[in-house]
Amino acid sequence: MIREVESKDILTDYSVKYDDQYFIQNGKWLIKERIAHFLIVESRAP
């Protein structure tokens, strides 16, 4: 993700692990519940 901080672009990388629970509805798998674990968040100039 690139965001602007004090008129400068900052690139932020996220390493995320998801623990999902799924269910099937009308032949499609959907996410019932999601827990996100943000393992690494790193910000720097691009």
Side-chain angles (χ1 to χ4, degrees), residues 1-27:
M1 175 171 61
I2 296 179
R3 57 192 168 93
E4 189 176 308
V5 177
E6 297 178 3
S7 301
K8 295 181 181 178
D9 286 341
I10 301 296
L11 174 67
T12 304
D13 288 326
Y14 296 91
S15 294
V16 184
K17 176 185 171 237
Y18 295 107
D19 287 326
D20 294 338
Q21 292 183 13
Y22 299 93
F23 69 100
I24 194 165
Q25 181 178 332
N26 298 325

